[in-house]
Amino acid sequence: MGLELTRRDFLKLSAVAGAGVLLSSHGLRFLKPVRAQGIVGEEKERYVPGICAMCPADCNILVRVRNGRVERIMGPEWFPSPKNKNKICARGNSGIFRLYNPDRLKQPLIRDDKNLRGTWKGFRAASWNEAYKRIADHLKKLVAEGRSREIAILGGWLSCEVYRTYLFPFLRAVGSPNGLGTPTSQCFFPKAFGWTSVIGLGMHSQILTDYDNVNYLIVMRRNIAGSIPVVHGVRFGQNLGRYKKVVVIDPRFSETAAKADEWIPIKPGTDLALLLAMMNVIIGEKLYDEDYLKKYTNAPMLLTEELKPYKTIKGKNGKIKYYVWDKAGNRAVLHEEAAEPALEGTYTTKDGVKVKPVFEFLKEKVKDYTPEWAENITDVPAAKIRNLAREFATTKPAAIDTGWHGARHANEMMTWRAAGIVNALVGSLLKTGGIIFTGEGLELPKASTPPPEYVSVVWGEKHHIPLAAAGMSAQALYDAMAKGDPYPIKTLFVIATNPVLNICGRVECGEALKKLDMLVVIDILPIDTAAYADIILPEHTYLERDDPLFNMPYAPAVAVETRFKAVDPLYNTRHVIDMMVGILKAMGEDYYEKYWEYLGAEINVDASKLREYYERYGVRGIMLAQAETRKIPLDELMKKGFVVLEREDEVRRKDLELLEKGELPTPTGKVELFSLKLFELLEGCPKEKILYCLPLVEWAPPEILNKRRSDDEFYVAYGKVPTMTHTSAADNPMLQRLTPTQDYRVWINRESAEKLGIRNGDKIIVKSLKSGREVEAIAFVTEHVRPDTVWLSWDFGQHSEKLRFKQDFPTVTYSDLLIPDYEPLAGAAKKAEIIVKIRKA
Amino acid sequence: MTRYAMIIDLNKCLGCEACAAACIAENRRIQALKTIEKAAGSSDAYKKVRDFWLRTRVIPVYTGKYPFSKLVFMHNICLHCDNAPCVAACPTGATYQRPDGIVLVDHTKCIGCQYCVYACPYGARAWDPEINAIDKCTFCEHLLAEGQPPACVQTCPAHARIFGDLEDPESEVARIVRENKNVHRLGSDWRAKAGVFFVVNPEFKELAGNPKFPDKEEELEKHQPLYRLAGWGVFALTVLGLAGHIIYWTAKKSGEEGEA
Ligand code: SF4
Ligand code: SF4
């Protein structure tokens, strides 16, 4: 199949379609070539479109291949993607050194002696058939014994974003309800749910700050420049200089702070107090957008004095309709029937119920959250907060950034909910220059009910964690492995994630893994977790694999995309889908056939076609069957790697339409200042945790608040560095080369360091008061972090002896500072709820 | 005439290092792969890859006092100077400047004396055993020849590296040099008219005037207060070096009369 393009094709294409692009992106129109065009071996050179997998941002890429070797990975220069335009980051550029990394896993490995778990001893090379057979026999035995629920998959962000669709049918075929992802509860769920409680969506792939149009931008608990997902970085970066003001709220002076007009070094975990004080000012000084609130939000919704909706009915479109006070008729009517919905006041309905609009409650609630009150908590001067609120409300359009990661503090959900409400008060949500839905967001995924035996469901019910299932709580998995709570999980597939470094405590997690009957690790590198495996299955890198058709995340466009393999696999590796299918085939024809049946149902493609195409073309066949079914023009897909179905203007139009029609994916279809979803969950929320799940807003303190007792104790802010992706890139030799020295170190304020006699570059001991463990690190003594806080990157701390390019000096393994522990709403992580004690080594 | 030039807008640069990474892939890939291979077989793989030389680097410079902290991402790259010290220093004519401003090394003529390395005030050159010649930034002239931008410019998410023809008044580079008050030439006190310009706010102007940045952040940390001084040290070295070249060059020249 002619699925590849030569440089000549591309230059031809660029001459026609790309001319305008070259012009607009680089102003290169006037370049006069100084050497005649033409490169030796031109026929042997081609550009293969693909999707970067160096981080979860999924940038579209072009891979230049010559004589079967990858030479360069670049952004889609001639056909800019609606996601990353034509740009990629340092990690994307360094993908070559992942492909050609000599440390890669090169063949399946089996270890027979379970006692050697946690070490690299005892592995032997095995054939795929042997590995499949061993797993298949084990799974069949479990199925026969009715122990299917003891099987689980723990996926990383690749699984979470795209492969889950192809993993769930595998689980279903073997009868397991347990598909979990590390990213969800460990990374973004509490943040996502905070946004969802306001606008119905909240994953970073579903919502987007409108960087191209916003004038006043507040970035909080986030480092756009330093984490550099290009989809956001390119928009944020290219608009620098145009913004009226960028304010960064962060305990540490980040790369984003370097670009901001103002840095507010807030006390870790207290952003919520600042947001509440902003509400106090915006409402108190009547700076809010009254029309927006009346029209698009449930601010006028009548609540009884017990803070319950006065009256609701189910509308035809499935949305909940509610009553407001119509000032025109002086009575309670449905929102849509009100000529003049009241935002304020206390009323008595005909049936004698005392009611107030949501906004009135909000106003009363935030009355005490004055900037002075917040100053005490946040350490941000009241005058500054007041000024920030005023500027934010009067410089339009203004937005508080969507964030990305959000599993830091116990109050994570409430913090992001408050950010959503502040945006709503100034009329930014779903509007130009505010927060918009992406193409993926517009697809408004239907909430599926998890299987009743799903470990997070059972665990959540038992421990009163209302959102444990939706949040795919990894804590549930940990408890199931470590303590058999709520039931034992004994067979685990870990796919492209590194739980030993990414969840709970490194030691505890390792101990839990040791209790398994079987651990299968699927990865491309000999990561720390792989040392605990019984079977290691090596995967293709993203440059060696074809992929199914995916819906494009993140972008303000509706599009589909795929990966084409740029080069043949270098080693005896396979695609994870091949592995799932291979194991099921080894279990027997029934299982194999079921996979296609379930997959077909999942992706709406005829099962027999899927099977037939897969058998003929491999994973590329799945893509072909999808493209055929969805009528995606294949030539365009092959050329660009993506096909846009609805462009940005269309997406923006639809966003507005959802707002206008009141069809947001919230229960009421409106922007919800009072969350009906949270209201519903309130029952399941235990009393002592109620602060963290209230349906309006509420000050919910972080656990570490004011717990620092002495000069050698510090709060912890953590983050990413631009050259790394979580713990997955530290074995990339060139990314290691590019990483600035201080990014490996523990940042400690100069004055605070002096008190402890610590100088820049000194070896220090970091002791977590939570886990009790002590780890070695190197100090970066700086003016760029709060005196009471240390900052460190969680990208490092690898221990695996097989990763030869890892740093040769001590770095902090973040999971060493943690214990298995979770926030109250979703059983998600709260990774910054720790205090560390620091001393010179 | 064409005068290729690059603008690095430090107000926009996010410090993501995509530019440096793209440069490795485009221009020093073979060297990188060899280094990796060698490093993998050694007991100090990390150190070996950390020593890998880069044509262009991004150097975070932390200044200010809490809470008035500041951070700017300084860049190191060959400036493609007119009257370039390296061209003057090269005894064989291997280092030359094209009419369009690009300073290149003719590998066949390079004898590895490394005078140019000492002469360059910016640390933009290094001996490369792989190509058996001096390696340096070429503005990706092989890509320019195809109408493609340099790799670093192509990849920069922030549009902080901008490239074009200075002589073309309508080009983006010419417009920025003309209109932006904050455009500086690095080391303008060198009288070496550079082909690389920096956009940088007045508060960081000091940096733009600084003749040399240390190669590694480790050094930067050590020398931060000293780097201005260090720059002059290099200058002194260069003067000495130049004197050496001139003697060598004159001797050589007289022996090879007639060569252009
Ligand atoms: S942001 Fe960088 S690493 Fe992430 S997908 Fe894009 S190019 Fe790849
Ligand atoms: S790619 Fe652009 S934004 Fe990133 S470091 Fe280089 S110049 Fe700065």
Side-chain angles (χ1 to χ4, degrees):
Chain A
M1 299 189 80
L3 288 184
E4 283 129 9
L5 294 165
T6 64
R7 177 185 287 242
R8 193 187 285 145
D9 289 337
F10 249 112
L11 291 177
K12 247 191 280 164
L13 290 166
S14 66
V16 194
V21 172
L22 278 177
L23 177 73
S24 61
S25 64
H26 303 296
L28 275 184
R29 180 165 48 131
F30 307 106
L31 280 184
K32 294 172 199 80
V34 288
R35 198 176 68 186
Q37 189 185 303
I39 275 202
V40 264
E42 190 182 340
E43 282 68 33
K44 297 194 174 134
E45 186 176 66
R46 58 211 166 89
Y47 283 90
V48 186
I51 306 170
C52 182
M54 295 294 287
C55 96
D58 286 344
C59 292
N60 297 95
I61 51 173
L62 276 181
V63 186
R64 193 172 83 210
V65 180
R66 193 202 299 250
N67 296 326
R69 300 269 297 176
V70 172
E71 281 194 342
R72 168 141 174 240
I73 304 165
M74 55 198 269
E77 181 68 1
W78 298 286
F79 301 101
S81 138
K83 207 191 300 155
N84 52 313
K85 304 194 180 177
N86 56 342
K87 305 300 187 182
I88 56 172
C89 75
R91 296 160 298 173
N93 274 292
S94 303
I96 310 176
F97 305 108
R98 168 171 287 180
L99 174 66
Y100 297 120
N101 186 338
D103 283 351
R104 278 182 58 186
L105 296 166
K106 304 182 174 90
Q107 69 222 336
L109 299 171
I110 292 182
R111 170 162 61 192
D112 302 300
D113 185 353
K114 288 197 181 14
N115 294 322
L116 295 174
R117 281 170 171 178
T119 75
W120 280 99
K121 295 193 193 93
F123 284 110
R124 62 178 168 85
S127 70
W128 282 98
N129 280 343
E130 187 192 354
Y132 286 168
K133 184 155 184 323
R134 187 175 279 222
I135 299 168
D137 289 349
H138 177 74
L139 295 182
K140 271 174 86 168
K141 190 166 154 270
L142 290 180
V143 175
E145 290 169 6
R147 295 164 57 198
S148 288
R149 71 173 190 179
E150 291 180 19
I151 306 164
I153 287 182
L154 180 67
W157 43 263
L158 269 170
S159 315
C160 182
E161 285 184 318
V162 290
Y163 294 131
R164 59 194 290 167
T165 314
Y166 305 87
L167 299 176
F168 279 125
F170 170 84
L171 284 171
R172 235 181 118 185
V174 300
S176 160
N178 291 321
L180 295 104
T182 15
T184 320
S185 66
Q186 300 301 301
C187 176
F188 65 81
F189 187 81
K191 176 222 70 179
F193 193 77
W195 283 104
T196 304
S197 74
V198 181
I199 47 176
L201 295 176
M203 284 204 297
H204 40 302
S205 54
Q206 296 170 322
I207 59 176
L208 175 71
T209 303
D210 189 0
Y211 300 108
D212 287 332
N213 295 297
V214 66
N215 279 335
Y216 195 101
L217 179 64
I218 294 180
V219 182
M220 174 192 95
R221 284 197 187 178
R222 161 130 212 236
N223 181 5
I224 305 168
S227 61
I228 192 76
V230 175
V231 55
H232 293 179
V234 69
R235 290 173 169 82
F236 173 72
Q238 298 195 352
N239 279 290
L240 284 171
R242 187 195 60 75
Y243 298 123
K244 293 232 171 76
K245 194 161 182 182
V246 177
V247 180
V248 168
I249 300 172
D250 193 330
R252 165 230 183 195
F253 193 92
S254 66
E255 286 87 350
T256 312
K259 303 284 102 177
D261 302 283
E262 190 171 350
W263 173 47
I264 300 184
I266 195 168
K267 217 183 230 186
T270 64
D271 315 68
L272 176 58
L274 183 136
L275 294 167
L276 292 169
M278 282 179 77
M279 291 182 204
N280 170 290
V281 176
I282 293 172
I283 294 176
E285 299 184 7
K286 290 198 181 298
L287 300 173
Y288 50 86
D289 185 335
E290 197 175 330
D291 284 346
Y292 183 93
L293 291 178
K294 281 185 181 162
K295 227 168 145 184
Y296 303 124
T297 77
N298 70 351
M301 174 177 179
L302 295 178
L303 301 178
T304 64
E305 280 183 310
E306 299 81 53
L307 233 80
K308 289 188 172 146
Y310 159 61
K311 232 193 227 174
T312 57
I313 52 173
K314 194 108 179 164
K316 264 193 246 100
N317 56 3
K319 296 292 176 197
I320 292 173
K321 294 186 171 192
Y322 54 86
Y323 284 77
V324 302
W325 193 262
D326 189 4
K327 285 201 280 191
N330 225 5
R331 61 192 177 111
V333 297
L334 286 174
H335 193 167
E336 66 213 39
E337 290 161 6
E340 223 187 301
L343 286 180
E344 293 167 82
T346 308
Y347 308 96
T348 310
T349 61
K350 260 199 211 134
D351 41 358
V353 186
K354 220 167 143 204
V355 290
K356 286 189 233 175
V358 164
F359 189 79
E360 179 70 34
F361 278 102
L362 183 67
K363 196 172 114 187
E364 288 167 11
K365 165 103 335 189
V366 301
K367 219 171 91 204
D368 295 335
Y369 297 141
T370 60
E372 286 70 22
W373 165 85
E375 173 175 336
N376 255 328
I377 296 170
T378 59
D379 199 22
V380 180
K384 194 168 256 195
I385 300 176
R386 204 163 259 125
N387 190 42
L388 182 71
R390 285 176 186 153
E391 280 183 358
F392 183 79
T394 53
T395 318
K396 300 208 165 160
I400 299 178
D401 186 73
T402 57
W404 186 291
H405 172 75
R408 289 185 154 88
H409 292 279
N411 61 9
E412 197 76 34
M413 188 288 293
M414 194 58 89
T415 301
W416 289 102
R417 171 162 174 75
I421 292 177
V422 175
N423 276 328
L425 288 177
V426 302
S428 284
L429 298 172
L430 279 303
K431 289 264 197 175
T432 303
I435 308 296
I436 58 174
F437 287 169
T438 63
E440 186 191 296
L442 276 180
E443 282 157 38
L444 308 179
K446 282 189 198 71
S448 55
T449 7
E453 277 211 286
Y454 186 34
V455 66
S456 307
V457 173
V458 186
W459 179 87
E461 277 165 11
K462 185 168 159 194
H463 297 279
H464 308 288
I465 309 294
L467 286 168
M472 288 192 165
S473 175
Q475 183 72 32
L477 174 68
Y478 170 81
D479 283 358
M481 290 191 305
K483 303 183 256 179
D485 171 21
Y487 59 75
I489 282 184
K490 287 292 205 182
T491 297
L492 182 67
F493 293 81
V494 170
I495 304 179
T497 185
N498 202 355
V500 172
L501 299 190
N502 292 342
I503 67 174
C504 46
R506 183 170 69 94
V507 177
E508 288 90 343
C509 191
E511 289 307 313
L513 294 177
K514 283 185 185 165
K515 291 190 176 163
L516 293 168
D517 289 341
M518 182 184 272
L519 173 62
V520 181
V521 169
I522 297 174
D523 212 292
I524 51 174
L525 284 167
I527 54 168
D528 286 54
T529 300
Y532 292 86
D534 304 300
I535 300 177
I536 298 178
L537 301 179
E539 218 185 342
H540 300 327
T541 65
Y542 66 101
L543 299 165
E544 302 162 291
R545 64 173 175 242
D546 290 320
D547 259 328
L549 195 66
F550 305 133
N551 292 337
M552 186 184 278
Y554 306 111
V558 178
V560 290
E561 59 187 357
T562 190
R563 252 185 211 102
F564 295 102
K565 72 170 180 183
V567 288
D568 287 329
L570 299 185
Y571 305 111
N572 186 13
T573 56
R574 292 203 174 156
H575 194 296
V576 65
I577 297 178
D578 292 331
M579 296 180 204
M580 296 294 113
V581 170
I583 293 166
L584 291 176
K585 207 165 184 181
M587 289 177 75
E589 166 65 25
D590 291 4
Y591 290 95
Y592 180 65
E593 179 57 27
K594 264 192 220 155
Y595 180 84
W596 298 114
E597 189 188 307
Y598 295 153
L599 179 62
E602 189 100 9
I603 59 178
N604 289 322
V605 177
D606 179 62
S608 56
K609 180 189 264 189
L610 272 175
R611 179 174 171 165
E612 186 198 326
Y613 278 33
Y614 173 78
E615 284 169 1
R616 226 186 306 157
Y617 304 110
V619 173
R620 185 174 293 189
I622 299 178
M623 180 276 287
L624 290 171
Q626 289 169 296
E628 220 174 274
T629 309
R630 293 180 65 177
K631 302 205 172 32
I632 303 298
L634 209 53
D635 51 342
E636 192 183 342
L637 189 64
M638 288 179 330
K639 209 183 291 167
K640 295 157 55 176
F642 61 89
V643 174
V644 174
L645 306 173
E646 282 173 31
R647 290 166 29 151
E648 181 164 342
D649 41 358
E650 182 65 9
V651 166
R652 286 175 179 276
R653 195 188 58 72
K654 284 196 175 170
D655 280 357
L656 276 177
E657 197 177 289
L658 287 178
L659 189 68
E660 288 289 345
K661 289 194 175 155
E663 284 178 358
L664 298 179
T666 52
T668 59
K670 302 271 185 190
V671 171
E672 290 192 355
L673 267 46
F674 179 89
S675 165
L676 289 188
K677 184 108 192 198
L678 280 170
F679 178 70
E680 207 181 286
L681 290 172
L682 214 49
E683 257 174 66
C685 195
K687 279 251 155 24
E688 69 276 13
K689 300 173 183 168
I690 208 99
L691 278 187
Y692 298 92
C693 17
L694 287 174
L696 201 55
V697 276
E698 188 76 46
W699 167 237
E703 292 168 1
I704 46 148
L705 188 68
N706 300 330
K707 296 267 162 64
R708 179 183 192 236
R709 295 163 312 181
S710 54
D711 283 349
D712 63 345
E713 289 186 1
F714 295 89
Y715 303 116
V716 178
Y718 61 81
K720 254 189 82 308
V721 305
T723 47
M724 294 285 147
T725 300
H726 315 318
T727 55
S728 72
D731 199 48
N732 186 308
M734 286 301 126
L735 287 173
Q736 287 283 37
R737 170 62 187 91
L738 293 171
T739 303
T741 315
Q742 74 278 351
D743 285 4
Y744 293 104
R745 298 182 173 179
V746 173
W747 293 34
I748 172 164
N749 181 282
R750 186 172 306 278
E751 267 180 31
S752 312
E754 269 162 18
K755 281 187 202 154
L756 304 177
I758 293 169
R759 282 185 320 193
N760 198 26
D762 277 354
K763 215 179 244 177
I764 53 171
I765 305 290
V766 181
K767 178 179 180 174
S768 162
L769 296 188
K770 186 152 223 175
S771 72
R773 266 186 293 279
E774 295 192 341
V775 289
E776 269 197 345
I778 314 274
F780 173 55
V781 173
T782 176
E783 302 286 347
H784 294 68
V785 66
R786 281 178 61 86
D788 60 0
T789 304
V790 291
W791 182 88
L792 59 101
S793 160
W794 64 358
D795 296 316
F796 304 106
Q798 292 73 9
H799 292 259
S800 171
E801 67 199 52
K802 297 283 178 194
L803 301 171
R804 285 175 287 186
F805 301 103
K806 65 178 181 297
Q807 52 290 342
D808 60 1
F809 43 83
T811 47
V812 173
T813 307
Y814 202 80
S815 56
D816 265 335
L817 308 182
L818 304 171
I819 54 165
D821 189 17
Y822 52 92
E823 56 74 67
L825 194 65
K830 42 175 184 180
K831 296 184 178 176
E833 296 284 22
I834 48 178
I835 287 179
V836 293
K837 227 177 179 33
I838 288 189
R839 64 170 197 272
K840 208 173 147 169
Chain B
M1 278 298 286
T2 300
R3 189 359 167 161
Y4 285 122
M6 182 183 288
I7 289 175
I8 304 181
D9 187 338
L10 302 187
N11 293 341
K12 283 205 165 166
C13 173
L14 306 170
C16 75
E17 309 219 38
C19 47
C23 180
I24 299 177
E26 185 64 48
N27 297 306
R28 288 183 57 76
R29 176 181 63 258
I30 309 287
Q31 290 93 323
L33 290 171
K34 287 238 165 101
T35 303
I36 291 166
E37 203 187 300
K38 270 196 215 131
S42 74
S43 55
D44 56 349
Y46 176 80
K47 274 205 188 68
K48 290 224 160 60
V49 300
R50 284 292 277 192
D51 281 340
F52 185 71
W53 189 76
L54 305 174
R55 283 186 183 181
T56 183
R57 296 180 290 276
V58 182
I59 303 153
V61 180
Y62 293 85
T63 59
K65 196 150 174 49
Y66 178 88
F68 306 102
S69 323
K70 290 190 191 322
L71 164 60
V72 69
F73 303 100
M74 194 52 207
H75 289 233
N76 190 308
I77 187 173
C78 166
L79 305 191
H80 298 272
C81 320
D82 293 338
N83 302 323
C86 60
V87 174
C90 179
T92 68
T95 285
Y96 66 104
Q97 187 178 32
R98 293 198 321 201
D100 59 12
I102 303 182
V103 174
L104 292 176
V105 177
D106 181 342
H107 294 182
T108 60
K109 286 193 189 159
C110 177
I111 55 167
C113 66
Q114 303 199 39
Y115 289 172
C116 59
V117 175
Y118 294 107
C120 173
Y122 310 113
R125 301 178 149 246
W127 170 252
D128 182 350
E130 193 47 43
I131 55 173
N132 222 0
I134 292 295
D135 192 43
K136 71 174 292 296
C137 166
T138 62
F139 269 170
C140 287
E141 53 95 17
H142 62 294
L143 294 178
L144 293 179
E146 292 180 3
Q148 285 196 54
C152 59
V153 173
Q154 195 279 330
T155 204
C156 174
H159 195 51
R161 285 196 177 200
I162 303 154
F163 189 81
D165 178 6
L166 209 53
E167 298 291 323
D168 177 347
E170 285 179 60
S171 72
E172 193 179 356
V173 280
R175 191 178 50 73
I176 292 173
V177 169
R178 204 168 49 232
E179 291 168 11
N180 193 322
K181 284 194 295 298
N182 289 330
V183 170
H184 299 283
R185 276 186 160 133
L186 189 62
S188 49
D189 22 328
W190 276 84
R191 282 169 323 224
K193 255 180 83 187
V196 175
F197 299 77
F198 291 83
V199 176
V200 54
N201 277 344
E203 60 192 284
F204 290 118
K205 201 185 149 200
E206 266 295 280
L207 298 171
N210 171 38
K212 184 180 155 99
F213 272 90
D215 189 287
K216 292 219 187 107
E217 300 77 26
E218 288 89 338
E219 288 162 33
L220 185 76
E221 271 169 26
K222 268 189 255 149
H223 300 306
Q224 206 153 16
L226 284 175
Y227 51 52
R228 204 154 233 292
L229 214 61
W232 289 107
V234 172
F235 173 73
L237 258 180
T238 311
V239 173
L240 289 177
L242 270 175
H245 304 317
I246 293 164
I247 297 165
Y248 179 86
W249 183 73
T250 326
K252 194 169 159 97
K253 190 87 173 168
S254 55
E256 295 170 21
E257 210 65 57
E259 204 178 298

